[in-house]
Amino acid sequence: MDEKNNNLKGFNNFSKFLAIYLLVAVFMFYLYQYFTKVQVNNIPYSTFKELIKEGKVKSCTISDKYIKGVYIDKNGKKMHFITVAVNDPDLIKDLEAHNVKFSGKVTNTWLTNLIFGWILPFGFLFFIWWLMTKKMRGTSGGLFGFGKGRFKVYLNEKPDVKFSDVAGAEEAKQEIQEIVEYLKDPQKYQRLGGRAPKGVLLVGVPGVGKTLFAKATAGEAGVPFISISGSEFIEMFVGVGASRVRDLFNEAKKLSPCIVFIDEIDAIGKSRAFNSLTSNDEREQTLNQLLAEMDGFDSSKGVIIMAATNRPEILDPALLRPGRFDRQIIVDKPDVNGREAIFKVHMKKIKVGSDVDVKKLAQMTPGLVGADIANIVNEAALLAARENKDAVYMEHFEEAIERQIAGLKKKNRVIKEDEKKRVAYHESGHAICAYMLPGADPVHKISIIPRGLAALGYTQQLPMDDRYLLTKEEMIDRVITLLGGRAAEEIIFGSVSTGAQNDLSRATDIVRSIITQFGMDEKLGLMVAEEREGGRFLTSEGILTKGDRLSEKTKEIIDEEIVKILDECYAKAKEILINNKEKLLRLAELLLKKEVVDSEELKKVMEDNSGD
Ligand code: ADP
Ligand code: ZN
């Protein structure tokens, strides 16, 4: 839309330029003719020779057709003459004898005048003009527009993307529903006493559809969508970033209710802590302006700021405070079902052959995101077109998937099959231990979607209720659950991997606190050997203190006890898994097939005793 308008404008400018140029050229040509017009006498060659002999010819120019020159007439007046050249070998001798200045010609006519005098210089000017506007066309408004916004504004033409165009992401759609309601009628929402939302942070890796989702939110609410990328704020000139933020918000207020979408917000919102070496004033000014604008505008105006990032942990905490981006929606990589749905959305735009099995395609593309799938469908359609097929068939999709995955492999974004298997058993180990142990929190979801938000896989446990007190048994059950992943790897593969590192440090942490903080160890007794400051309960945050006041002997006992309890817990985890090996195998298979397993499905696997 934008682009087309600009090209059109460029074309109009061009014809205007051409018309003006032609007018000026014609005018200048006649002007030139008028001023250079002189009386020229056409004289016979014989007269010319006589004039030479009389010494009347002052100068002449000889070409192979004409001889032009100046002579003095009877009245002593200077006159221009022209005569037809004849083959006259004596001419030069005569001219020299009578001291006539002469030169060879140079057929200097109006044509060469025109070319060298007018067309070339103007052509040059035109070339420069073309270069300039080309640059302008490229950056839509760029050259003369910096400082002024460069946002794609979908004025009145509101985005026609709907939630149905965003496949999967059902949880995210539900979470954003409130925002949609609000944007449909901000005043009504507030009359009913709702607190106006302001900022929504979409978290997810590139290509999962964050931009699409934000656009669909605007589409559902029927409001305009303004978007800009965080890196665009600060790319050009110093001092421009802050003024761009101001422009952006002024624009948004005019269009409200509307959605402002800031992609890659980490480009401006990076925490100062991550940037202490290279202090970047420009970025900081831009960030401060953004914070000021978000605080400043009246939320009843109906402007919702949505922002996207894949690194929420590096954002400046100031951005996440209440009244700013206080809502965070996670857009994770799609699982098998999600991928199937995304394939279907994009297949609507092409003619699909009868042999295409969408389920199979989804199974063939673990770890890929919506953008990858959109690419695959497009590529498959191109392949089919190249072969002049009447529709896009399975073979085309398969080839397109191969190409896409080969491209991603180079970028190291594809997980290997045996890695995936190991992760499936590891996570199943956690889940089964948690299921079997009364003290562990129940499992909510197990996921092995590769390179999603977590590096490999994760087992999500929900606490039964808010707990302030934990018994020693409950803490031990948690440790066993944490060690279950490594235990499963050892049972199935006979070896362990580095994937359990985080589990181990969390387990060690809990055991250490059992011994040193809660007085639950028989050997050490009630003495509080260490205290934790700042960190939350049972996390690895916070600082251990008092440690340096312990005697060497106590320290030795602590280390011994930690090792002993961890060993006992690990043995217990292995025992649980060996006793439930059949279930472990089945759960891992299910995970490999579905990538995400919820609590219901886990229960089904665990209560099915047919295989044991
Ligand atoms: P992000 O902003 O997270 O990097 P985009 O929104 O730019 O990702 O996604 C790029 C493209 O990928 C979209 O335009 C769309 O064609 C496709 N896509 C991504 N996720 C989905 C999805 N859930 N459903 C349908 N298409 C999707
Ligand atoms: Zn683990």
Side-chain angles (χ1 to χ4, degrees), residues 20-37 108-119 122:
I20 292 176
Y21 164 54
L22 279 178
L23 266 174
V24 170
V26 168
F27 176 71
M28 293 298 250
F29 179 62
Y30 280 106
L31 210 66
Y32 176 72
Q33 289 280 300
Y34 178 77
F35 279 114
T36 53
K37 199 153 191 172
N108 186 6
T109 64
W110 65 273
L111 188 69
T112 46
N113 261 338
L114 192 68
I115 291 175
F116 287 101
W118 302 106
I119 294 182
F122 272 92

Side-chain angles (χ1 to χ4, degrees), residues 227-290:
S227 86
I228 187 167
S229 164
S231 56
E232 273 178 297
F233 273 122
I234 44 178
E235 72 187 356
M236 263 178 114
F237 301 100
V238 179
V240 172
S243 87
R244 276 201 183 157
V245 173
R246 230 173 290 128
D247 288 342
L248 176 69
F249 277 80
N250 286 336
E251 192 78 22
K253 278 175 214 160
K254 274 187 243 152
L255 288 174
S256 75
C258 68
I259 286 182
V260 174
F261 179 68
I262 306 174
D263 205 358
E264 302 171 52
I265 192 162
D266 31 291
I268 32 175
K270 218 179 284 170
S271 164
R272 278 154 256 227
F274 282 86
N275 252 25
S276 49
L277 277 182
T278 54
S279 110
N280 186 339
D281 284 348
E282 170 71 354
R283 212 201 72 259
E284 208 152 292
Q285 275 177 21
T286 309
L287 175 60
N288 286 337
Q289 186 67 36
L290 179 66

